[in-house]
Amino acid sequence: MSSLALMRWLESAPERYDRGMQWLTFGRADEIREAIAGEAVKAGTRVVEIGCGTGALSAKLLANGCEVTAVDQNPAMLEQARSALASASAGKIRWIEASAAEIDSLGDGVFDAVATAFCLSEMSPGERAYVLRAAARCLRPGGRLLIADEVVPDQRVQKLVHALLRGPQVLLGWLLTGAVSTPLAGLAAEIEAAGFRIVGNRGWLAGRFRLFIAESKGEAPA
Amino acid sequence: MAIATSTFKHTSLDFVQTALRMLPWPTEAGLRKIGNPGQESPVLITCNYDLTVRRLTRAMQGHDAWLLVAPSSGINVWCAASGGHLSTHQVVSALKTSGIKEKVSHKRAILPQLAATGVIGREVARRCGWKVRFGPVRAEDIPAYLAAGGHKSEEMRRVRFDTRERMEMAAAWGFPTAAVIALLFYFIKASWAAPLALWSIVCAFALFLFYDRLGEPRKLRFAAATALTACIATALVGGGAAALAAAAVSSLLLTALLTVDYPGSTPLEGGAHFAENAWQVKLDPALCDGVFACWEVCPESCFNKLEDPRKVEISHGERCIRCGACVVQCPKDALFFEDQAGQRIEPDIIRRFKLNLMGSRSVEA
């Protein structure tokens, strides 16, 4: 029995991830994805989605008429996304099994938007910096970067609450999703350092989840 | 003083992390230096499990190397690779994003052998141009492996399950079980909490040290031995009839709990004890053309190299723990799993869905 539970934990189970994300965001995950999809439509139609998981955001992008290139490194998640969206996706979506770092092989300046939800917080700082620079390169000038993720809140009281909840939250997050995420502290600065101008942002759950909307300056730093 | 403090810190961390090794202990992924590495220094890749990174760093003391910590969700190499958390993609990502390319003049990296259940070496090369090799199973063998010019002895390839490794697994199972039991009994009958917790730790150690060495009927023998020991111990401390009965029943329950099935807890799981449920690794000799990737990564040395014609044979199938590393690595798809009904599970399914002793046990068609 105990071993069965452990097996479930260690398995990278797609169902668990979705349910866990929904609990961790107090049911807001979907609302946040809705906001990203809305912004992506304003940017144009060609969207690359980093870390599509089981396709929750991909579905919303498709519903809004985007052409989606969905990238994820977990084959089990991709398989689930593929079968869930089989009927809705005809010719409008391309699935790529790869790490986020490999979006640099998709071509330069070929997308209108890069969208990603709850994915950057699972990366190391080095990976994040690389992926953000690669995102800048694959966008056309003026293309949009849409990142929603768990962040360290800006305000002092919220920060304190965050620090106190951190330990239990990591454990809970891991038990629920099987992933270890680190709320991002300097995401805005990282986005700007990669060659973007932030043009808007929105927060959820007392600033613990934030959507950044940034525009490519069209001159990605080397 | 500083050395003493650091030793104390490491020893206590080792202890805590071993007792709670079921939990992830993430450390920051990225590039680190061991000693004073240069352009020609070897590049070692490992997981971002803190205990492993610290042990590897200690094992490499006095040597110069680049250590590339790949993101594995804070899980150890074997479990992460077998459960889908340390795959080709995490390794490619680490190689591309860490900046290692600018630090060395070569593109060769060494992975732990036990990563072979998840990382496909030739895929890493195709995706980012790095040639990865599977080094020894244990970190402490790396200096000797490097000194031998990348030659891996049989000893370096084998998972030994020696007493130390068995004790670690026992601690990893025993302490969480004890904690759960103590918590449970704190509310039911508080005076039983401590003795039962202690008893579950003793049982876990007995299980990992002796269980697979018992003759059949193994489970019955183990249950009888623990129940008898519990009764004797209870009688010695002056327990009455009720306490004796409780000791016997709790031992039986504990044995039942501890011997269900052990995904990944080799040597108990995957060996002959659970053979009736498991798949067998099969070889199609017609497809084998002597690449010997399986031979290189098998932690139980189940394969034998044949020279004329150049092929492998499964010479020690009885030792197989079904980790699937050979199936994952074979470039010719000559190895595959077959279930008891003779149904074949294609290598690509194993690669993508991690069908092995640690990962999924089944996949919906």
Side-chain angles (χ1 to χ4, degrees), chain B residues 72-105:
Chain B
S72 65
S73 306
I75 299 171
N76 68 73
V77 170
W78 209 3
C79 289
S82 307
H85 296 277
L86 179 62
S87 73
T88 304
H89 304 308
Q90 279 86 0
V91 170
V92 168
S93 182
L95 285 166
K96 287 185 80 157
T97 65
S98 62
I100 181 67
K101 206 173 71 186
E102 285 79 47
K103 306 280 187 194
V104 291
S105 57

Side-chain angles (χ1 to χ4, degrees), chain B residues 26-98:
Chain B
T27 181
E28 191 165 308
L31 188 60
R32 305 180 187 204
K33 281 181 181 182
I34 296 175
N36 188 21
Q39 287 211 319
E40 286 299 316
S41 299
V43 176
L44 309 174
I45 303 179
T46 194
C47 59
N48 77 324
Y49 181 60
D50 191 55
L51 186 63
T52 304
V53 172
R54 289 188 301 107
R55 279 186 176 167
L56 176 59
T57 310
R58 262 181 287 171
M60 285 292 291
Q61 233 164 38
H63 302 268
D64 299 326
W66 297 99
L67 177 60
L68 188 48
V69 180
S72 65
S73 306
I75 299 171
N76 68 73
V77 170
W78 209 3
C79 289
S82 307
H85 296 277
L86 179 62
S87 73
T88 304
H89 304 308
Q90 279 86 0
V91 170
V92 168
S93 182
L95 285 166
K96 287 185 80 157
T97 65
S98 62

Side-chain angles (χ1 to χ4, degrees), chain A residues 3 10 75 79 97 104 127, chain B residues 85 89 93 96 127 261 352:
Chain A
S3 53
L10 287 170
E79 198 51 47
E97 188 198 315
D104 61 1
E127 275 181 298
Chain B
H85 296 277
H89 304 308
S93 182
K96 287 185 80 157
R127 286 173 183 256
D261 183 2
R352 292 174 64 208

Side-chain angles (χ1 to χ4, degrees), chain B residues 130-269:
Chain B
W130 279 74
K131 191 171 163 26
V132 295
R133 288 196 62 183
F134 292 102
V137 165
R138 284 168 300 274
E140 59 258 36
D141 289 335
I142 298 175
Y145 168 80
L146 291 173
H151 172 75
K152 207 159 49 156
S153 66
E154 155 114 18
E155 181 72 351
M156 291 179 189
R157 279 187 279 120
R158 289 287 292 269
V159 167
R160 285 193 297 251
F161 303 128
D162 56 17
T163 306
R164 198 194 79 181
E165 285 168 3
R166 284 167 183 260
M167 303 262 278
E168 280 185 19
M169 287 315 298
W173 280 100
F175 284 101
T177 309
V180 170
I181 285 177
L183 196 69
L184 203 66
F185 274 87
Y186 180 78
F187 295 108
I188 301 172
K189 197 166 168 55
S191 60
W192 287 16
L196 278 180
L198 186 68
W199 183 233
S200 58
I201 292 175
V202 173
C203 282
F205 275 85
L207 183 75
F208 276 89
L209 289 172
F210 309 118
Y211 187 70
D212 65 318
R213 291 159 176 169
L214 289 176
E216 291 295 351
R218 192 173 278 119
K219 203 175 261 192
L220 196 68
R221 286 181 183 201
F222 187 79
T226 48
L228 191 66
T229 316
C231 287
I232 293 172
T234 313
L236 283 178
V237 295
L244 277 174
V249 172
S250 63
S251 297
L252 294 178
L253 286 176
L254 204 60
T255 312
L257 183 77
L258 286 168
T259 55
V260 210
D261 183 2
Y262 280 85
S265 282
T266 34
L268 295 184
E269 204 279 337

Side-chain angles (χ1 to χ4, degrees), chain B residues 104-129:
Chain B
V104 291
S105 57
H106 59 87
K107 279 194 154 190
R108 294 181 310 275
I110 298 160
L111 274 166
Q113 182 185 307
L114 296 182
T117 53
V119 183
I120 306 166
R122 57 184 188 283
E123 248 317 270
V124 175
R126 188 181 72 79
R127 286 173 183 256
C128 64

Side-chain angles (χ1 to χ4, degrees), chain B residues 345-362:
Chain B
I345 303 152
E346 293 303 327
D348 217 41
I349 300 281
I350 314 289
R351 289 185 193 111
R352 292 174 64 208
F353 299 104
K354 306 289 174 260
L355 236 58
N356 52 41
L357 86 165
M358 265 300 308
S360 317
R361 298 304 178 88
S362 66

